[in-house]
Amino acid sequence: MKKIATITMTMAIVVSAMTGCVSVPEVDIPETSEPTVIELTPARAQDDYYRFVNEERFKTAKIKYGEQSVEEAFKTDLIDEQLETIIDDCVSGSGYAKGSEEDIIKHAFEYYQAYDFKSEPIPEDLMAMIEKVDHAASVDELLETDAELIKDYGLGGLVNLYTDTNPFDPTERVIMIDQISGVLEVSFTDLREDSYGINTIKKDATMILNTRGYDKETCETYGKELAFLALDLFGATDLDYAEDSMKHKYIKAIPASDVESIMSNVDMKKYLEAIGIDYTLVNKYCVADQKQLKMLNDILVDKNLNALKAWELGRLYSNYMDYIAPHYEQFEAYVGRSYDSMHDQAVTTVKRKFSQETDPIYVERYYSAETDKALRSMCDDIRAGYRELISNASWLSEATRTELLAKLENIIYITGTDLKRHNNAEYADIYGNNYYELCLNYDRLSRKKMIDEFNHQDPVSRSEIAMPMQMMNACYNPYSNNITITAAITNDPFFNPNADYYTNLGGLGAVIAHEMGHAFDSNCILFNSKGEYDPSWISDSDMQTLNERDEKAARYFEDNFIVFGVYHVDGEQTLGENYADLGGVECVCSLTKTKEDRIKLFESYARIWCEIITDEAIINQIAYDEHSPSYIRVNAILASIDEFYDTYDVKEGDSMYIAPEDRISRWY
């Protein structure tokens, strides 16, 4: 589901600002310089189904200060309260097994409260790493330190490599060299539109170097050098990759010898071995942005050493700012001041830093066997719905249909029951003497596990959980061909054990169908039934048919749905998510039997996307997000569903009406 915020600020703005599927009442606007509030007449299902269902919720929903949206269905406050209860119970308890989730939570909470960030000096080992970076005499020496920072201090590394699953063979572990997304705190996507970020890089680098005792002129010189290096790297960056959620389309599997030729200024063998990676297992790399990698190699030379040290120091400072900032006046604003009680600060920190420890306890408390049984049964029903849709899709060739059905049958569901507690013995020695040492040892253990998995070439599990069970979300993983459905999203209004089947089907069922639909959207359909990224599995004729349908679908969203009367949704950018929505609703609709079933389903579907969002955020979403705004996820989808027309007697002239020849379908 993986959604980003969606609709608009006040009800007076929401409807009048949007055209296409939304009916705007005709009103006389008085001639006055005073702001005028237009009272909207109640929405009709035939004109604006999204508002029709959610009108009363819009009236009471309020965006909290400092936030950009309020999502009525995503009850994060409820999850926060549940997690706070778990943490408080762990802290008040005793006698836990060493290394257990409860014991780690208790130690983390108490250590955090006892740690005086203002008075404690910068930890000696951290200070030693800062000195080591600053005193590097060459880029080669800096990269040795960089490898140590990856292995022992959790930094991403100047080359930005890590172990991952091979998208072209999901049973294999490889070294991924990912795209560098920015320099210091400035992202390359921000630089695309605003050169102000270059000044920010220079200013931040100057400030960082100032803490090392360099004079003002030297700091500014090296800061300017880093800003120019950032511009060079930005110029070589593929921003399409940076903004595309389906990044597999850009990744290339490249022989190790070729990568090492590209990275001629880096001893890759020495670098990887310093990280702890068994170099004899590295016969290829998966590279996200080859052009950027070539530029990075050009940058990693001794003449740029001082600028590179500023970059590395900035990354180290950012990762450990809580321990560093109190000792430098210029960094105080980077940490901020919390007005929460020490108890609340500790709870927030444990929730953020130790979610893997609270997660299994959350599942044990708030996810039942009965819920899991109902959830998996619904998944089976949805799979059966897709089975029928795919089987009856006459526009598919028999070979493509057969492979899609094989992919459908191969999808596995990951739920709360798949989350297991960790081995206490592995965590028994991580505590250290204070909060800093606990966090450091905890992160080192996590990093060591990932490196060991690669070095031992452990089998890749298809049942790996993709997100915390305490997060209200769900997702599809094309490599494993699985769906993760978290325990938290089994809360109302997505799912209620006391609700009728079709209400739940329109809520959580639509989310599951959306995720299952991702297996067949315009992006993930390029993965075959084994989870391998291989567009060639689809015949040329079928690919042409798919492309033609894609083009019509993209035009449908662009031509019929406009925000603020100006902004068109990018049909190509949002196509994968729109297809998942459309295919998902087509699927769950196929499981209904009566008009009453469909009413419950449609109302529930509109309710889970109930959201209010600021104008600025929605414009930003339209520009860069692969998800359409919430009102489009409801109105545009339902306006292409024949069952919706039958259920609500939608006719030509109604704002929800789209001519039959202009409607789209994923399967029909």
Side-chain angles (χ1 to χ4, degrees):
M1 169 160 130
K2 191 177 173 277
K3 64 179 295 296
I4 297 177
T6 357
I7 192 109
T8 234
M9 249 172 94
T10 63
M11 282 306 298
I13 295 176
V14 170
V15 177
S16 62
M18 298 181 180
T19 62
C21 235
V22 179
S23 176
V24 182
E26 295 183 3
V27 294
D28 294 325
I29 302 177
E31 295 182 4
T32 173
S33 59
E34 293 296 319
T36 302
V37 176
I38 300 173
E39 292 293 334
L40 298 175
T41 56
R44 298 170 64 242
Q46 297 87 341
D47 291 326
D48 182 353
Y49 193 73
Y50 180 66
R51 184 163 72 91
F52 170 75
V53 172
N54 294 311
E55 198 151 23
E56 293 305 313
R57 297 176 186 85
F58 287 144
K59 292 177 181 178
T60 58
K62 297 184 183 299
I63 299 177
K64 293 180 181 178
Y65 178 78
E67 296 184 0
Q68 292 187 313
S69 67
V70 54
E71 300 162 313
E72 286 290 282
F74 290 79
K75 298 179 179 177
T76 53
D77 288 347
L78 169 64
I79 308 303
D80 287 341
E81 290 170 6
Q82 292 171 332
L83 290 171
E84 183 174 350
T85 300
I86 288 172
I87 293 167
D88 285 342
D89 288 350
C90 290
V91 172
S92 63
S94 61
Y96 303 124
K98 198 171 185 180
S100 66
E101 286 83 356
E102 288 87 352
D103 203 40
I104 293 172
I105 292 168
K106 183 179 176 70
H107 273 84
F109 184 93
E110 293 175 348
Y111 275 176
Y112 180 84
Q113 287 197 317
Y115 199 93
D116 189 342
F117 289 90
K118 289 185 178 179
S119 301
E120 286 283 350
I122 297 174
E124 287 184 12
D125 65 302
L126 184 57
M127 198 68 219
M129 294 307 301
I130 293 171
E131 297 280 354
K132 205 168 183 179
V133 171
D134 193 18
H135 294 153
S138 65
V139 168
D140 187 56
E141 194 173 316
L142 179 63
L143 287 171
E144 287 183 34
T145 304
D146 185 66
E148 188 176 351
L149 289 170
I150 294 171
K151 180 180 178 182
D152 293 332
Y153 289 85
L155 267 67
L158 286 171
V159 182
N160 201 22
L161 59 78
Y162 50 86
T163 63
D164 202 2
T165 302
N166 185 353
F168 308 102
D169 180 1
T171 66
E172 181 184 36
R173 299 183 186 274
V174 296
I175 301 298
M176 172 73 70
I177 302 181
D178 207 351
Q179 184 186 74
I180 294 170
S181 60
V183 173
L184 297 183
E185 298 299 315
V186 177
S187 73
F188 290 147
T189 52
D190 289 339
L191 282 181
R192 171 194 49 212
E193 296 181 349
D194 190 354
S195 61
Y196 174 77
I198 290 299
N199 293 325
T200 301
I201 292 171
K202 177 186 172 183
K203 177 177 69 70
D204 288 352
T206 299
M207 187 165 36
I208 289 162
L209 292 168
N210 181 254
T211 68
R212 302 300 307 142
Y214 294 96
D215 61 66
K216 180 181 178 182
E217 183 179 351
T218 301
C219 291
E220 290 181 349
T221 297
Y222 295 162
K224 185 184 295 184
E225 288 179 7
L226 180 58
F228 283 128
L229 293 184
L231 269 180
D232 289 341
L233 205 56
F234 165 71
T237 297
D238 185 347
L239 291 179
D240 287 340
Y241 174 90
E243 296 173 339
D244 199 327
S245 63
M246 297 298 174
K247 299 185 183 297
H248 52 265
K249 295 183 290 185
Y250 307 86
I251 296 169
K252 305 294 183 186
I254 301 176
S257 57
D258 290 355
V259 170
E260 286 157 16
S261 294
I262 294 171
M263 298 299 288
S264 57
N265 294 323
V266 178
D267 185 337
M268 293 297 289
K269 178 177 184 294
K270 181 180 177 182
Y271 186 62
L272 290 172
E273 288 180 342
I275 294 170
I277 292 170
D278 184 347
Y279 181 76
T280 64
L281 298 171
V282 183
N283 52 46
K284 61 176 168 290
Y285 298 83
C286 284
V287 179
D289 191 340
Q290 193 169 337
K291 184 180 177 183
Q292 188 199 66
L293 189 63
K294 290 177 180 177
M295 177 57 69
L296 178 64
N297 179 69
D298 293 343
I299 285 170
L300 292 173
V301 292
D302 285 348
K303 73 174 184 178
N304 298 325
L305 178 61
N306 292 311
L308 292 170
K309 287 197 288 188
W311 187 8
E312 187 79 305
L313 284 170
R315 296 167 62 254
L316 182 53
Y317 279 25
S318 179
N319 223 43
Y320 290 92
M321 189 61 77
D322 287 343
Y323 306 96
I324 294 172
H327 304 283
Y328 300 108
E329 182 179 347
Q330 53 266 57
F331 284 129
E332 287 181 357
Y334 282 71
V335 175
R337 181 177 178 182
S338 175
Y339 294 95
D340 292 339
S341 67
M342 181 53 67
H343 167 273
D344 290 350
Q345 290 181 51
V347 167
T348 299
T349 301
V350 172
K351 283 192 298 187
R352 174 180 55 84
K353 181 72 177 176
F354 296 92
S355 62
Q356 291 185 32
E357 310 311 310
T358 55
D359 225 28
I361 303 173
Y362 180 87
V363 170
E364 290 165 7
R365 289 197 182 188
Y366 301 109
Y367 188 71
S368 67
E370 291 75 19
T371 295
D372 191 70
K373 182 179 179 181
L375 178 60
R376 290 181 181 273
S377 176
M378 184 180 289
C379 287
D380 288 339
D381 291 346
I382 291 166
R383 193 202 303 267
Y386 272 116
R387 189 181 298 126
E388 183 173 353
L389 288 172
I390 295 170
S391 297
N392 294 330
S394 58
W395 52 276
L396 289 170
S397 71
E398 194 58 38
T400 300
R401 181 185 296 106
T402 299
E403 183 71 1
L404 289 179
L405 287 171
K407 187 175 185 179
L408 174 68
E409 301 306 328
N410 201 30
I411 292 175
I412 61 174
Y413 326 131
I414 311 298
T415 71
T417 58
D418 293 288
L419 181 64
K420 309 300 180 187
R421 283 180 173 253
H422 64 227
N423 180 355
N424 293 351
E426 293 181 352
Y427 292 80
D429 298 323
I430 67 167
Y431 295 99
N433 297 308
N434 56 41
Y435 182 72
Y436 167 77
E437 292 181 8
L438 171 61
C439 290
L440 188 66
N441 293 335
Y442 187 78
D443 290 342
R444 282 178 178 173
L445 179 60
S446 177
R447 183 61 59 99
K448 182 179 184 301
K449 284 182 176 182
M450 289 189 290
I451 292 173
D452 286 347
E453 285 175 344
F454 177 84
N455 288 344
H456 301 153
Q457 286 296 293
D458 292 344
V460 179
S461 171
R462 289 188 63 213
S463 299
E464 189 171 326
I465 297 171
M467 56 180 55
M469 284 292 158
Q470 62 206 38
M471 177 188 293
M472 295 192 78
N473 217 328
C475 67
Y476 173 72
N477 182 343
Y479 306 116
S480 300
N481 196 27
N482 67 24
I483 299 168
T484 297
I485 307 157
T486 70
I489 204 170
T490 60
N491 280 291
D492 190 59
F494 292 95
F495 180 85
N496 186 329
N498 298 318
D500 69 90
Y501 177 78
Y502 294 101
T503 296
N504 284 334
L505 188 64
L508 185 54
V511 171
I512 295 167
H514 169 101
E515 299 306 337
M516 203 174 291
H518 269 310
F520 317 109
D521 70 20
S522 55
N523 293 306
C524 295
I525 199 171
L526 302 179
F527 288 79
N528 62 26
S529 62
K530 298 176 183 177
E532 300 165 341
Y533 180 65
D534 179 20
S536 67
W537 81 262
I538 303 175
S539 68
D540 291 342
S541 59
D542 275 358
M543 184 61 77
Q544 181 178 346
T545 301
L546 285 166
N547 288 337
E548 290 170 356
R549 293 172 70 91
D550 289 352
E551 290 172 7
K552 181 177 179 180
R555 290 196 306 272
Y556 171 82
F557 288 97
E558 289 183 354
D559 295 348
N560 294 294
F561 305 94
I562 306 172
V563 177
F564 302 141
V566 176
Y567 300 101
H568 292 255
V569 174
D570 187 326
E572 183 177 348
Q573 174 180 291
T574 58
L575 186 59
E577 291 296 330
N578 289 338
Y579 262 156
D581 282 339
L582 180 61
V585 173
E586 286 181 334
C587 177
V588 293
C589 261
S590 72
L591 302 177
T592 60
K593 298 179 177 64
T594 66
K595 178 179 178 180
E596 288 70 26
D597 297 342
R598 291 192 293 273
I599 289 174
K600 292 173 183 176
L601 184 142
F602 291 140
E603 288 184 352
S604 186
Y605 178 70
R607 192 157 52 246
I608 64 172
W609 296 119
C610 179
E611 181 178 25
I612 297 178
I613 188 171
T614 64
D615 297 352
E616 179 182 5
I618 198 171
I619 292 170
N620 187 65
Q621 179 189 4
I622 290 168
Y624 305 121
D625 191 6
E626 68 270 17
H627 299 81
S628 294
S630 289
Y631 102 98
I632 291 178
R633 298 188 76 164
V634 175
N635 285 3
I637 297 301
L638 297 185
S640 242
I641 302 292
D642 290 343
E643 291 90 339
F644 179 78
Y645 287 78
D646 296 337
T647 302
Y648 289 98
D649 194 26
V650 179
K651 294 183 171 59
E652 188 171 1
D654 295 332
S655 294
M656 287 288 293
Y657 181 85
I658 298 288
E661 64 272 16
D662 294 327
R663 297 173 200 167
I664 58 171
S665 169
R666 188 57 184 146
W667 298 110
Y668 298 118

